[in-house]
Amino acid sequence: MDTILGPLYYAVSWIIVQFHSLYGLVFDKDSGWAWGLSIVSLVVLIRICLIPLFVKQIKATRNMQALQPKMKAIQERYKSDKQRQSEEMMKLYKETGTNPLSSCLPILAQSPFFISLYQVLNHIAQGKTVGFINQELLDSAQKAHIFGAPLSVKFLDSAAKIESFNATVTDVRVVTVVMIILMSLSQFYTQRQLMTKNVDLTVKTPFMQQQKMLMYVFPIIFAVLGINFPVGVLVYWLTTNVWTLGQQMFVIRRNPTPGSVAFKQRQDRLRAKGKLKEDPAEVEAKKAVEAARANRQQPKRQTKAKRQVAAPGATAATAATTAASTEDKPSLEKKSSLEKKQGTDAKEAKDAKGGKPGQAGGGSKSGQRKSGPQRPKHPSKK
């Protein structure tokens, strides 16, 4: 490892020494402020150099989101042929100019500097010179404390080793735990901000589920690994997380993903300032929709007759006829009853005029049949 990353040890140590000389003009050279700010400045310098890669990461992430439906279709179509599936995926990447590894470029580019800083601080903890840090600077770095915790000690170091740097176990435990918590929270909020504000919600893809899972996995990984990092490395990692959070907030506000919540908020801000030019037809359509929503009323409860009158397609004449028939219904029922009663009275009068069977003065009709055998009378009528 030392042979491969040897040149980076010199580069990292040289940058730290230069910043230490600068901050030594303001603070004590042996103080934690001089050495701590040197590490923070190292992070800022590295992240500024990685801005072009960060821009590529954003573009690659958006392209991957846009390609998720097509990738899913390829997986479904060639799910029994993995080789053909891989070929179609590579063809899709080539046609769209997308590189899946582009989203990991900033992390991959930053990893060698992270490992080099870890090794430099580890050499300081062991009392060994490394790169441009000579014996004088080594003694100064070992005396540097951040809130009572030496830069080169870890959470799991023994009490004897911690006391050799003129520090207490309690101070080291408290400082490292607080830094690990802040480091995990910053990572969680960075990922959550990306998921809630800068993702196109109109497209549901497996990529969103993966990002949601990473939102909870990464903080746990940082919390587990943090207890094995020296305090100086925790300062480095906390600083880079805060930088990532701020950089992402800036990008989401100024250049959000189309279709995301942040994109709608940006459109509203531009519209309020009069800087957003919209299609007049689209503006009129939006106004018409809003006016229709404002004028819409909930229908009141109506009787069946009123619902028939108000039914769609009913003409004025039909409505008037229905209403009139409803109003005249009682009078028609009375008229029908009267006609029925008159008919009954007329029938009774006719029967009385013709006479009943067996009475004098009977007419042509009688209780007997005109021809044929007579029906015998019932015994009870004899």
Side-chain angles (χ1 to χ4, degrees):
M1 181 67 70
D2 292 346
T3 304
I4 298 174
L5 296 178
L8 279 179
Y9 293 172
Y10 280 92
V12 170
S13 61
W14 183 82
I15 294 172
I16 292 177
V17 168
Q18 300 305 313
F19 280 117
H20 177 261
S21 301
L22 177 63
Y23 291 118
L25 301 175
V26 181
F27 306 100
D28 184 7
K29 292 183 178 180
D30 299 336
S31 66
W33 286 105
W35 286 100
L37 290 175
S38 299
I39 296 174
V40 172
S41 300
L42 171 67
V43 175
V44 173
L45 179 61
I46 293 174
R47 295 307 301 268
I48 290 175
C49 295
L50 293 178
I51 286 178
L53 293 179
F54 180 75
V55 174
K56 288 185 178 180
Q57 180 191 22
I58 294 175
K59 292 181 179 179
T61 303
R62 291 183 180 179
N63 290 338
M64 290 296 293
Q65 291 178 358
L67 291 179
Q68 284 299 313
K70 295 182 180 180
M71 293 170 62
K72 189 175 182 181
I74 292 175
Q75 291 173 354
E76 291 292 333
R77 185 175 180 181
Y78 303 104
K79 58 183 178 181
S80 58
D81 190 351
K82 298 297 182 182
Q83 182 177 357
R84 181 66 183 279
Q85 185 181 120
S86 300
E87 292 176 356
E88 292 295 328
M89 288 288 189
M90 296 303 296
K91 183 179 178 181
L92 180 63
Y93 293 149
K94 186 176 180 179
E95 291 176 352
T96 57
T98 304
N99 186 0
L101 297 179
S102 297
S103 58
C104 303
L105 284 178
I107 297 177
L108 295 176
Q110 191 178 180
S111 296
F113 293 93
F114 174 79
I115 296 173
S116 299
L117 177 63
Y118 179 88
Q119 292 296 331
V120 168
L121 293 175
N122 192 37
H123 279 72
I124 294 173
Q126 296 175 1
K128 299 179 180 178
T129 58
V130 56
F132 287 90
I133 298 180
N134 53 29
Q135 190 63 42
E136 181 182 357
L137 292 172
L138 178 62
D139 295 337
S140 175
Q142 287 183 334
K143 296 176 183 178
H145 291 65
I146 295 180
F147 301 108
L151 288 174
S152 56
V153 299
K154 308 174 187 176
F155 179 88
L156 298 177
D157 284 343
S158 62
K161 183 177 180 179
I162 293 174
E163 290 175 357
S164 65
F165 290 98
N166 298 322
T168 62
V169 177
T170 303
D171 291 340
V172 173
R173 298 286 191 272
V174 171
V175 171
T176 52
V177 167
V178 170
M179 284 189 175
I180 290 171
I181 292 174
L182 293 177
M183 194 170 61
S184 300
L185 288 177
S186 60
Q187 179 65 35
F188 174 80
Y189 188 78
T190 300
Q191 196 68 23
R192 186 177 183 276
Q193 180 180 237
L194 180 66
M195 287 296 301
T196 57
K197 290 187 176 182
N198 204 37
V199 173
D200 187 359
L201 300 178
T202 60
V203 181
K204 303 294 182 181
T205 62
F207 180 77
M208 296 176 62
Q209 297 296 328
Q210 295 174 4
Q211 294 294 319
K212 188 176 181 180
M213 181 182 66
L214 294 176
M215 181 173 65
Y216 296 98
V217 171
F218 275 159
I220 296 175
I221 293 176
F222 280 114
V224 173
L225 297 179
I227 59 177
N228 295 309
F229 291 160
V231 174
V233 175
L234 292 179
V235 172
Y236 174 93
W237 206 248
L238 177 59
T239 306
T240 192
N241 280 0
V242 173
W243 177 278
T244 302
L245 177 60
Q247 186 174 248
Q248 184 174 270
M249 291 177 65
F250 177 80
V251 171
I252 289 176
R253 183 175 177 84
R254 299 295 298 271
N255 189 22
T257 302
S260 62
V261 175
F263 182 80
K264 295 179 180 179
Q265 293 175 351
R266 181 175 180 271
Q267 295 294 96
D268 293 338
R269 290 194 303 269
L270 294 177
R271 191 178 295 109
K273 295 178 180 179
K275 296 181 179 180
L276 183 63
K277 294 182 180 180
E278 296 180 330
D279 187 6
E282 185 177 352
V283 174
E284 292 298 329
K286 289 181 180 179
K287 290 182 178 180
V289 172
E290 293 176 357
R293 289 178 180 176
N295 296 330
R296 185 175 61 184
Q297 297 179 354
Q298 292 294 334
K300 297 181 179 180
R301 188 176 182 86
Q302 298 178 345
T303 61
K304 185 176 180 181
K306 291 182 179 180
R307 288 199 301 270
Q308 290 176 350
V309 172
T315 61
T318 306
T321 304
T322 306
S325 63
T326 305
E327 294 176 356
D328 295 342
K329 188 175 182 180
S331 60
L332 291 174
E333 291 178 353
K334 291 180 180 180
K335 184 177 179 180
S336 177
S337 177
L338 181 60
E339 291 177 353
K340 187 182 292 186
K341 185 177 181 180
Q342 291 176 354
T344 304
D345 293 343
K347 185 177 182 181
E348 290 178 354
K350 187 176 181 180
D351 291 342
K353 182 178 180 181
K356 294 182 180 180
Q359 292 182 350
S364 61
K365 292 184 180 180
S366 64
Q368 297 180 353
R369 296 177 181 271
K370 292 183 180 180
S371 63
Q374 299 290 330
R375 178 182 293 176
K377 294 183 178 179
H378 196 273
S380 62
K381 293 183 179 181
K382 290 182 180 180

